[in-house]
Coordinates of all heavy atoms in Angstrom, one line a residue:
R1 N -17.7 20.0 -8.4 CA -18.5 20.9 -7.5 C -17.8 21.3 -6.3 O -17.8 22.5 -5.8 CB -19.9 20.2 -7.1 CG -20.9 20.1 -8.3 CD -22.2 19.5 -7.8 NE -22.6 20.0 -6.6 CZ -23.3 19.4 -5.7 NH1 -23.6 18.1 -5.8 NH2 -23.7 20.0 -4.6
C2 N -17.1 20.3 -5.7 CA -16.3 20.6 -4.4 C -15.3 21.6 -4.7 O -15.1 22.6 -3.9 CB -15.7 19.3 -3.9 SG -14.7 19.6 -2.4
V3 N -14.5 21.5 -5.7 CA -13.4 22.4 -6.0 C -13.9 23.7 -6.4 O -13.4 24.8 -6.0 CB -12.5 21.8 -7.2 CG1 -11.5 22.8 -7.6 CG2 -11.8 20.5 -6.7
L4 N -15.0 23.8 -7.2 CA -15.6 25.1 -7.5 C -16.1 25.8 -6.3 O -16.0 27.0 -6.2 CB -16.7 24.9 -8.5 CG -16.4 24.5 -9.9 CD1 -17.6 24.2 -10.7 CD2 -15.6 25.7 -10.6
K5 N -16.7 25.1 -5.3 CA -17.3 25.7 -4.1 C -16.3 26.0 -3.0 O -16.3 27.1 -2.4 CB -18.4 24.8 -3.6 CG -19.1 25.5 -2.4 CD -20.4 24.6 -2.1 CE -21.2 25.3 -1.0 NZ -22.4 24.5 -0.7
H6 N -15.3 25.1 -2.8 CA -14.4 25.2 -1.7 C -13.0 25.5 -2.1 O -12.1 25.7 -1.2 CB -14.5 23.9 -0.8 CG -15.8 23.7 -0.3 ND1 -16.4 24.4 0.7 CD2 -16.8 22.8 -0.7 CE1 -17.6 23.9 1.0 NE2 -17.9 23.0 0.2
G7 N -12.7 25.4 -3.4 CA -11.3 25.7 -3.9 C -10.4 24.6 -3.9 O -10.6 23.5 -3.3
P8 N -9.2 24.8 -4.5 CA -8.2 23.7 -4.6 C -7.7 23.3 -3.2 O -7.7 24.1 -2.3 CB -7.1 24.4 -5.4 CG -7.7 25.5 -6.2 CD -8.8 26.0 -5.3
G9 N -7.4 22.1 -3.0 CA -6.9 21.6 -1.7 C -8.0 21.2 -0.8 O -7.8 20.7 0.3
S10 N -9.3 21.2 -1.3 CA -10.4 20.8 -0.5 C -10.8 19.4 -0.8 O -11.7 18.8 -0.1 CB -11.6 21.7 -0.8 OG -12.1 21.6 -2.1
L11 N -10.1 18.7 -1.7 CA -10.6 17.4 -2.2 C -9.5 16.4 -2.3 O -8.3 16.8 -2.6 CB -11.2 17.6 -3.6 CG -11.5 16.4 -4.4 CD1 -12.8 15.7 -3.9 CD2 -11.8 16.8 -5.9
A12 N -9.8 15.2 -2.1 CA -8.9 14.1 -2.3 C -9.7 12.9 -2.9 O -10.9 12.7 -2.5 CB -8.1 13.6 -1.1
L13 N -9.1 12.1 -3.7 CA -9.7 10.9 -4.4 C -9.0 9.7 -4.0 O -7.8 9.7 -4.0 CB -9.8 11.1 -5.9 CG -10.5 12.4 -6.4 CD1 -10.3 12.5 -7.9 CD2 -12.0 12.5 -6.0
I14 N -9.8 8.6 -3.8 CA -9.2 7.3 -3.5 C -9.9 6.3 -4.3 O -11.2 6.4 -4.5 CB -9.4 6.9 -2.0 CG1 -8.6 7.9 -1.1 CG2 -8.9 5.5 -1.7 CD1 -8.9 7.7 0.4
T15 N -9.2 5.3 -4.8 CA -9.9 4.2 -5.5 C -9.5 2.9 -4.8 O -8.3 2.7 -4.4 CB -9.5 4.1 -7.0 OG1 -10.2 3.0 -7.6 CG2 -8.0 4.0 -7.2
T16 N -10.5 2.0 -4.7 CA -10.3 0.6 -4.2 C -10.5 -0.4 -5.3 O -10.4 -1.6 -5.0 CB -11.2 0.2 -3.0 OG1 -12.5 0.2 -3.4 CG2 -11.1 1.3 -1.9
D17 N -10.7 0.1 -6.5 CA -11.0 -0.7 -7.6 C -9.7 -1.2 -8.3 O -9.1 -0.6 -9.1 CB -11.8 0.1 -8.7 CG -12.3 -0.7 -9.8 OD1 -12.0 -2.0 -9.8 OD2 -13.1 -0.3 -10.6
S18 N -9.4 -2.5 -7.9 CA -8.2 -3.1 -8.5 C -8.5 -4.1 -9.5 O -7.7 -4.9 -10.0 CB -7.4 -3.8 -7.4 OG -8.1 -4.7 -6.6
Y19 N -9.9 -4.2 -9.8 CA -10.4 -5.2 -10.8 C -10.5 -4.7 -12.2 O -10.1 -5.3 -13.1 CB -11.8 -5.7 -10.3 CG -11.8 -6.3 -8.9 CD1 -12.2 -5.6 -7.8 CD2 -11.3 -7.7 -8.7 CE1 -12.2 -6.2 -6.6 CE2 -11.3 -8.2 -7.5 CZ -11.8 -7.5 -6.4 OH -11.8 -8.1 -5.2
R20 N -10.9 -3.4 -12.3 CA -11.2 -2.9 -13.6 C -9.9 -2.3 -14.2 O -9.3 -1.4 -13.6 CB -12.3 -1.9 -13.5 CG -12.8 -1.3 -14.9 CD -14.1 -0.6 -14.7 NE -14.1 0.3 -13.6 CZ -13.9 1.7 -13.8 NH1 -13.7 2.1 -15.0 NH2 -13.9 2.5 -12.8
I21 N -9.6 -2.7 -15.4 CA -8.4 -2.2 -16.1 C -8.6 -0.7 -16.3 O -9.5 -0.2 -16.9 CB -8.1 -2.9 -17.4 CG1 -7.8 -4.4 -17.1 CG2 -6.9 -2.3 -18.2 CD1 -7.7 -5.2 -18.4
G22 N -7.6 0.1 -15.9 CA -7.7 1.6 -16.2 C -8.4 2.4 -15.2 O -8.5 3.6 -15.4
A23 N -8.9 1.7 -14.1 CA -9.8 2.5 -13.2 C -9.0 3.6 -12.5 O -9.4 4.7 -12.3 CB -10.3 1.5 -12.1
H24 N -7.7 3.2 -12.0 CA -6.9 4.2 -11.4 C -6.5 5.3 -12.3 O -6.5 6.5 -11.9 CB -5.6 3.5 -10.8 CG -4.8 4.3 -9.9 ND1 -3.4 4.1 -9.7 CD2 -5.1 5.5 -9.3 CE1 -3.0 5.1 -9.0 NE2 -4.0 5.9 -8.7
E25 N -6.1 5.0 -13.5 CA -5.7 6.0 -14.5 C -6.8 7.0 -14.8 O -6.6 8.2 -14.9 CB -5.3 5.3 -15.8 CG -3.9 4.6 -15.7 CD -3.9 3.4 -14.8 OE1 -5.0 2.8 -14.6 OE2 -2.8 2.9 -14.4
Q26 N -8.1 6.5 -14.9 CA -9.2 7.4 -15.1 C -9.4 8.4 -14.0 O -9.6 9.5 -14.2 CB -10.4 6.5 -15.3 CG -11.7 7.3 -15.7 CD -12.9 6.5 -16.0 OE1 -12.9 5.3 -15.7 NE2 -14.0 7.1 -16.5
L27 N -9.2 7.9 -12.8 CA -9.4 8.8 -11.6 C -8.2 9.7 -11.5 O -8.4 10.9 -11.2 CB -9.5 7.9 -10.3 CG -10.3 8.6 -9.2 CD1 -11.7 8.8 -9.6 CD2 -10.2 7.7 -7.9
K28 N -7.0 9.3 -11.9 CA -5.9 10.2 -12.0 C -6.1 11.4 -12.9 O -5.6 12.5 -12.6 CB -4.6 9.4 -12.3 CG -4.1 8.5 -11.2 CD -2.8 7.7 -11.6 CE -1.7 8.6 -12.0 NZ -0.5 7.8 -12.3
I29 N -6.7 11.1 -14.0 CA -7.0 12.2 -15.0 C -7.9 13.2 -14.3 O -7.6 14.5 -14.4 CB -7.6 11.6 -16.2 CG1 -6.7 10.7 -17.0 CG2 -8.2 12.8 -17.1 CD1 -7.3 10.0 -18.2
Y30 N -9.0 12.8 -13.6 CA -9.8 13.8 -13.0 C -9.0 14.5 -11.9 O -9.2 15.7 -11.7 CB -11.0 13.0 -12.3 CG -12.0 12.4 -13.3 CD1 -12.5 11.1 -13.0 CD2 -12.3 13.0 -14.4 CE1 -13.4 10.5 -13.9 CE2 -13.2 12.4 -15.3 CZ -13.7 11.1 -15.1 OH -14.6 10.6 -15.9
G31 N -8.2 13.7 -11.1 CA -7.4 14.4 -10.1 C -6.5 15.5 -10.6 O -6.3 16.6 -10.0
K32 N -5.8 15.2 -11.8 CA -5.0 16.2 -12.4 C -5.7 17.4 -12.8 O -5.2 18.6 -12.6 CB -4.2 15.5 -13.6 CG -3.2 16.4 -14.2 CD -2.5 15.6 -15.4 CE -1.4 16.5 -16.0 NZ -0.7 15.8 -17.0
I33 N -6.8 17.2 -13.4 CA -7.6 18.4 -13.9 C -8.0 19.3 -12.6 O -8.0 20.5 -12.7 CB -8.9 17.9 -14.6 CG1 -8.5 17.2 -15.9 CG2 -9.8 19.1 -14.9 CD1 -9.6 16.6 -16.6
L34 N -8.4 18.6 -11.5 CA -8.9 19.3 -10.4 C -7.8 19.6 -9.3 O -8.1 20.2 -8.3 CB -10.0 18.5 -9.7 CG -11.2 18.2 -10.6 CD1 -12.2 17.2 -9.9 CD2 -12.0 19.5 -10.8
S35 N -6.6 19.3 -9.7 CA -5.4 19.5 -8.7 C -5.7 18.8 -7.4 O -5.5 19.4 -6.3 CB -5.2 21.0 -8.5 OG -4.8 21.6 -9.7
A36 N -6.2 17.6 -7.5 CA -6.5 16.8 -6.2 C -5.6 15.6 -6.2 O -5.5 14.9 -7.3 CB -8.0 16.5 -6.2
P37 N -5.2 15.2 -5.0 CA -4.4 13.9 -4.9 C -5.3 12.7 -5.2 O -6.4 12.7 -4.8 CB -3.8 14.0 -3.5 CG -4.8 14.8 -2.8 CD -5.3 15.8 -3.7
V38 N -4.7 11.7 -5.8 CA -5.4 10.4 -6.0 C -4.6 9.3 -5.5 O -3.4 9.2 -5.7 CB -5.6 10.2 -7.6 CG1 -6.3 8.9 -7.8 CG2 -6.4 11.4 -8.2
H39 N -5.2 8.4 -4.7 CA -4.5 7.3 -4.0 C -5.3 6.0 -4.4 O -6.5 5.9 -4.5 CB -4.5 7.5 -2.5 CG -3.9 8.7 -2.0 ND1 -2.6 8.8 -1.8 CD2 -4.4 10.0 -1.8 CE1 -2.3 10.1 -1.4 NE2 -3.4 10.8 -1.4
A40 N -4.5 4.9 -4.6 CA -5.0 3.6 -4.9 C -4.7 2.8 -3.7 O -3.6 2.7 -3.2 CB -4.5 3.0 -6.1
V41 N -5.7 2.1 -3.1 CA -5.6 1.2 -1.9 C -6.1 -0.1 -2.2 O -7.0 -0.3 -3.0 CB -6.2 1.8 -0.7 CG1 -5.6 3.2 -0.3 CG2 -7.7 1.9 -0.8
K42 N -5.5 -1.2 -1.6 CA -5.9 -2.5 -1.9 C -6.5 -3.2 -0.6 O -7.2 -4.3 -0.7 CB -4.7 -3.4 -2.3 CG -4.2 -2.9 -3.7 CD -3.0 -3.8 -4.1 CE -2.4 -3.3 -5.5 NZ -1.3 -4.1 -5.9

């Protein structure tokens, strides 16, 4: 919704989920589709 309303470059994604296997990869897929950066922090 954010990208549709405000355009590319309006969004960034962060994950703090270091417990669930594949959590970062799943978010990276969304980020790639929406052209949004994805960061993992611990």
Side-chain angles (χ1 to χ4, degrees):
R1 285 179 51 211
C2 177
V3 172
L4 286 172
K5 185 171 185 177
H6 301 286
S10 63
L11 170 74
L13 304 174
I14 298 175
T15 179
T16 66
D17 188 354
S18 58
Y19 300 101
R20 186 163 53 95
I21 297 174
H24 186 204
E25 286 69 22
Q26 186 178 6
L27 208 63
K28 283 177 66 176
I29 292 172
Y30 294 142
K32 185 176 181 180
I33 293 172
L34 299 170
S35 300
V38 178
H39 303 270
V41 301
K42 296 180 181 178

